[in-house]
Amino acid sequence: MNPTEPRSGPGALSEQRGFVSTQPATVSNSSQERQQALLQVDHLESGYDETRVLWDVSLEVRRGELVALIGANGAGKSTLLATLSGLLPAWTGYIRFAGHDITHRRAEEIVRLGLSHVPQGRRLFSALTVEENLLLGAYTRRAGSQQAIKQELEEVYALLPKLRERRRQLAGSLSGGEQQMCAIGRGLMSHPELLLIDELSLGLAPQVVDDLLNALDVIHREKGLSLLLVEQDVQIALERADRAYVLENGHIVLEGTGHELLQNERVRTAYLGA
Amino acid sequence: MLVLAVRSLPVRRLPFHREVSAMLIAQVIVNWLLLGSLYAAVALGFSLVWGIMNIVNLAHGAFILVGAYTAYWAFTQLHIDPFLGLPLTMLLLFCLGWVVQYVAINRVIRAPFLVTFLLTFGLDLLIADVVQLLFTSDRRSINTAYSGFGLTLGTLHIPFDRLLAALIAVLLTAALSLFLQRTRTGNAILATGMDRDAARLMGIRIDRIYALTFGLGAALAGAAGAMLVELYPFDPSQGGVFTLRAFVIVVLGGLGTPWGALAGGLVFGLAETVVPLLPGIGPGYDDAIAFALMVLVLIFRPRGILGKAFYA
Ligand SMILES: Nc1ncnc2c1ncn2[C@@H]1O[C@H](COP(=O)(O)OP(=O)(O)O)[C@@H](O)[C@H]1O
Ligand SMILES: [Mg+2]
């Protein structure tokens, strides 16, 4: 993950993301790494000032996985993501990402290691243009990597063509769906290995959600980007996820593959209204 | 009510005539533009720090003071012209602001408004005392070779030093605006001002951005001070006056953009140049007029003339 290293093509791209490519050299490397989780969270506790929100949370995301995190409003999903990305300090426990202990690292450092967080509510820089927002997503790239940044920008525009149309528009003037696209595009501009997305579909029309999910599918499958997705539409989330966790009152109460949880009685009654 | 305490700069007053000649009108407008632009320089750094960091920097006037005395010292000891020495004065003030922010204010940036208020107030007292200790409380002024010279068109007179100061003020406004809008670091400053946590998620080291912003604010204050000392006699008690003026100007012009400082400066300048000449008003009411203008602006445009929700 040397950010200044110019990328030469899809091969180099997948290698950096630890994607199982067709090149033999990376196969052995990746299969070795796949034994170990990309993100490993052990007995994590965290919260705000005096209020404890997360209790003994353990989970993992392996390379190339799409993991869903579901749970009711106020369960602590956003708090968990903010703790992972370093916006909130961890109280106790252990967070390991891509071979680094990031438990006590700051957000500014964690994004440089390849963990990118698309926060709830998008949090765009609304008085800046779409393209300025995207370029700030590549802020971690040092000067001299102009070419790589340009290429990344092209990739994001290719993935989310609406953003190219809107690139000179102020981010605050976009529709909700376009804002979410911009937020995801911005999150991708740092060239992450793992993307955390908080409430992808909240407040968006079904068609827009489909478009976004398809775009994420492309980078997930083709480029091996790992995803941790917080999603209130449990059906959508579990259908797509390799694995999923259920968070209730700051505790992980269930985990399994997406299909296992779709069949699970507790999930069906509590989250699918069945 | 604060405005009422603002003392006016010693501007040359034009007598009020019932028959105002075209030349007089032109002179008044020139005086107004020159003074208004200079006021933009006074408020520019204050506006930046307030807009981005949400800090009402009570030490702003003290930075202006340091800029003024740096220019004075460089002129009397090293014979450096205040205008030519501007980059140096600004660099010195940038370093001062950067250090102050990095060691002191970054520690309380998340603290309530009142804490930064008290901290910058303390800083203001400290700096003003040090300046007084070094330079005594005597009034100081600079007389350059070109002081008193200017362009003359008929009865219209434009002093060189005021013209230069006004041009530099507009130039600094434009440069700051371009820097914020067009550069990576400038955008990072704006982003930090809009959403601190989102900026952190981009990998922006906000403590450095704050130090940079505060340093820039101090550098701009220093530039204003260096130009002021060339135009008006200066003493160490004047810092607070300029903090207050910067505050009024920023409220008038609006917080969203550096151009707001220029707009506010021009409106503020009206109070000392144009309005006193209107029939029935006359001189002596600068502060009341400035206050009235501020109330008017706040009634009709609470964000200020050019104010935006964000600094951009
Ligand atoms: N900034 C905050 N300060 C204090 N408490 C908070 C803050 N944000 C969230 N909480 C509390 O933390 C708990 C979990 O919130 P959150 O992580 O946002 O839940 P979710 O994302 O699952 O809806 C809630 O009880 C909420 O009230
Ligand atoms: Mg949430």
Side-chain angles (χ1 to χ4, degrees), chain B residues 26 60 64 75 137 227 296 302 305:
Chain B
H60 183 74
I64 291 181
F75 181 75
S137 50
M227 297 196 293
L296 277 180
I305 296 162

Side-chain angles (χ1 to χ4, degrees), chain A residues 85-87 106-108 111-112 117 119 123 125-128 132 136-137 139-142 186, chain B residues 181 184 187-188 190-192 194-195 197-207 209 310 312:
Chain A
S85 65
L87 285 180
R106 294 180 304 171
E108 301 86 308
V111 62
R112 284 177 168 76
H117 177 186
R123 307 286 286 269
F125 305 115
S126 49
L128 297 180
E132 285 166 341
L136 280 167
Y139 188 82
T140 51
R141 307 285 193 80
R142 274 285 119 210
R186 188 179 68 175
Chain B
Q181 297 283 351
R184 173 177 176 270
N187 272 349
L190 292 177
T192 305
M194 288 178 216
D195 189 329
D197 279 344
R200 292 180 63 201
L201 290 179
M202 302 300 107
I204 295 169
R205 297 181 204 273
I206 55 171
D207 50 347
I209 291 292
F310 296 112

